[in-house]
Every structure is written in structure tokens, then in C-alpha cells.
Amino acid sequence: MKIKYIILSILFLILVGAGVGLKMFFKPHDNINKMDASFKVEGASFINEFKKDENAATAKYSEKVIEIKGKLVAKNTLPNGTILLILEDEMEGISSELDAEWTKSNQPLIDGLKIGNLVTIKGVCKGFLMEVKVNPAVVVVNE
Amino acid sequence: MKKQLIILAILIMSVSAFGQDKFIAKNAYISFYSSTPLEDILGESNEAVTILDATKGEVVFQALMTTFHFKRALMEEHFNENYMESSKFPKAKFKGMIEGFNKDMLKAPVANIKITGQLNVHGVEKTITVPGTIGMEAGKLVATAKFKVTPEEYGIVIPSLVRDKIGKEMEITVKDNYVPFGQ
């Protein structure tokens, strides 16, 4: 009788373990649209933080969700179809790749973005490589 | 003092004269591929930055490890946290010279090249020679490279339980469209 219970509980543990394992394996990517920003920053000062001390800024912002307000200077499409919004400066500004899922359901909003206007984006900061890389990102406010 | 000024003037002049010979790609593509019996592992980034100095045929290439995107969130997590240790070594860098370079290669149709230089990944630097292509394609200056690396060469430890299941070598693919820079 006792052995039966032991076997049953072991089987139960194996099942739970397999379930947890499978859930982890198929865990989806974070939905950036639903995540709260850890920092809210102005584009120009955000870039300056990286230019002044890249290591410190990387430690502070890398892999964090940031809300950035800045001037839209370019809107490009990458070969794979991803839309790229560039804020503040085309060469040394903020480059943000829009989230593919979000893009699908927000095409009119993206088409309506005007170069030269202020825009607020929210995305994961990836660090600095000539420009600040943000990926994936969504547009929060279009002024 | 005067001499220093002259040297400075010459330096500035030479920099501006040669500055027109630089090309940049700010959204270069780089992928990392490995096959396993369970499923293929493919990490892709469109955020690498590369500069080509056409005065000497030098290529500088940098990528942020955290920009690699994988199909599964767990793969991305393992790649950054367990293998590449991206918070400790955020960038992969390559600096090399195109063998037998001359400026006409940039105006000609795409042709095969070899690039030799230093690849720095996971804080380990190695000299490598990789095959690639460069030249004009549909009015654009395009460059590609494809080569294999083994994680162990760069001090990347993969647990033995997993090691046997992953291909020994990882394939790296690079593609970029260069545009004139500093003009």
C-alpha cells in the first residue's frame, strides 16, 4: 500500500516537472506593449548619457524597458520588413526596431508618423553602438 | 609650435580627404546558426554596425550580443545568460583587412574575397580568415561573409549533457548594404 503511494507521488512529481519544463521551453517572448517602463527619458539627454559614459549607461539601461520622447528623424524599413524609427539624429541617435506583432495591428498609426514630429516610444534598450539601440519597441504617443 | 600646427593641418586635411572613402552599414545582418536533433537554433540581429575604410580595405564590425533574437524566449535567455554572458561581454567585434584590396572592387559586380583579422567574442580574441563577397548588386554596395566558429575556441562552456546534441561548429552569416559615410 505504502509503495503504491510512493510510486504515485513520484509519477506525480515527474509529471509536474515535465509540465514546468515544457512551459519554460515554449515560454513566449515578453509583450513589450504590456510592460511598464523602468525609466522615462528625453531622447537627447538619453543619448548623452551613453556618449559620456557608455559602460555606466549600459549597466543602468541595458535590457530595461525605457520610454523615450524624441524627434522622429527617419522611418526606414529593413530587408526583413521590420520598421525602424530613428530619433534625434540619423547617425548617432536612437534606433528603434518596432515590434513585429505590434506593427501588424498598428499600421495606420505607423503610416501617420511624420518626420520632424515628437514621438514617444517604449522599448527594450540593447546598448550603444554609435547609436542607442532599442528593440523591440512600440509607439506610445504620436504628437 | 609652427611645425606642430603644420602637422595638425596636414592631418586634418588628410582625414577630410580620406573621409569620403568610408562606408557604413548601421543595420547590418548577422546570424548565428546551429543544428540540433530537436530543432535548429537560429539567432538573428539586424543591428550590427560596420564601417569599411576604402583607403586601405579595412573592415570594422561590431554587434551587441543582446540584439540577437531567437524563436524561443528560452533560447535567447540561455544564449545571453549562460553562454555569451552578455552583461559581462556585451559586444562582439571584428577588425580585419580585405586581402588584395583595391578600390575598384567596390564598383565591380559582387566577387569573392577573403578577410583576415581579429575576432573578439566573449572576451577572447582570435585571428581568423573568413571567406566573403563584396561588390555592387542592384545599385548597392553589398558585402557578405559566412564562416564557422566553435564555442570552445572563445571560452564558451556548454554543459556536456547539451554539448553532444549541438553541432560542434556554429555558422555565422553576415550581410550588409554599405552607404557612403562622412560625405
Side-chain angles (χ1 to χ4, degrees), chain B residues 108-122:
Chain B
V110 174
N112 290 332
I113 50 165
K114 269 187 181 162
I115 311 172
T116 300
Q118 281 76 45
L119 176 66
N120 187 314
V121 178
H122 192 246

Side-chain angles (χ1 to χ4, degrees), chain A residues 124-142:
Chain A
V124 181
C125 177
K126 294 292 181 183
F128 187 73
L129 213 57
M130 246 182 94
E131 56 188 359
V132 185
K133 303 278 192 184
V134 178
N135 176 19
V138 296
V139 177
V140 186
V141 192
N142 174 26

Side-chain angles (χ1 to χ4, degrees), chain B:
Chain B
M1 189 61 192
K2 223 174 177 182
K3 206 174 163 188
Q4 281 172 332
L5 275 175
I6 293 168
I7 293 173
L8 191 70
I10 291 171
L11 270 176
I12 290 170
M13 271 172 3
S14 58
V15 165
S16 57
F18 288 115
Q20 308 216 335
D21 291 318
K22 279 194 177 162
F23 294 85
I24 188 169
K26 277 198 315 158
N27 286 93
Y29 171 88
I30 177 164
S31 73
F32 154 96
Y33 172 82
S34 174
S35 71
T36 76
L38 200 61
E39 66 182 325
D40 291 342
I41 299 169
L42 175 68
E44 295 175 295
S45 168
N46 282 296
E47 318 226 36
V49 171
T50 166
I51 293 172
L52 166 69
D53 184 341
T55 57
K56 47 187 175 178
E58 185 188 66
V59 176
V60 177
F61 192 98
Q62 292 201 4
L64 285 162
M65 301 319 300
T66 49
T67 61
F68 279 87
H69 189 71
F70 293 77
K71 189 173 143 201
R72 302 203 185 286
L74 190 70
M75 285 177 185
E76 212 165 296
E77 209 174 288
H78 284 175
F79 178 77
N80 284 311
E81 289 170 16
N82 303 358
Y83 303 137
M84 302 311 300
E85 299 179 84
S86 302
S87 54
K88 225 158 111 192
F89 309 107
K91 287 176 188 172
K93 300 174 191 168
F94 176 78
K95 188 177 181 175
M97 306 292 281
I98 299 172
E99 286 179 14
F101 178 79
N102 70 69
K103 274 169 104 174
D104 294 335
M105 290 164 106
L106 307 180
K107 295 175 200 139
V110 174
N112 290 332
I113 50 165
K114 269 187 181 162
I115 311 172
T116 300
Q118 281 76 45
L119 176 66
N120 187 314
V121 178
H122 192 246
V124 177
E125 192 163 281
K126 295 248 172 225
T127 300
I128 57 166
T129 298
V130 300
T133 65
I134 197 161
M136 294 299 285
E137 190 184 281
K140 284 180 180 156
L141 178 58
V142 181
T144 65
K146 194 175 244 186
F147 57 97
K148 288 184 170 154
V149 291
T150 52
E152 287 76 12
E153 277 182 294
Y154 294 90
I156 298 160
V157 185
I158 299 176
S160 54
L161 195 71
V162 186
R163 191 65 194 102
D164 303 335
K165 297 184 181 68
I166 307 177
K168 195 160 166 44
E169 292 176 312
M170 316 277 155
E171 189 178 74
I172 311 293
T173 307
V174 176
K175 276 181 211 156
D176 50 67
N177 287 342
Y178 281 113
V179 293
F181 174 44
Q183 276 181 333

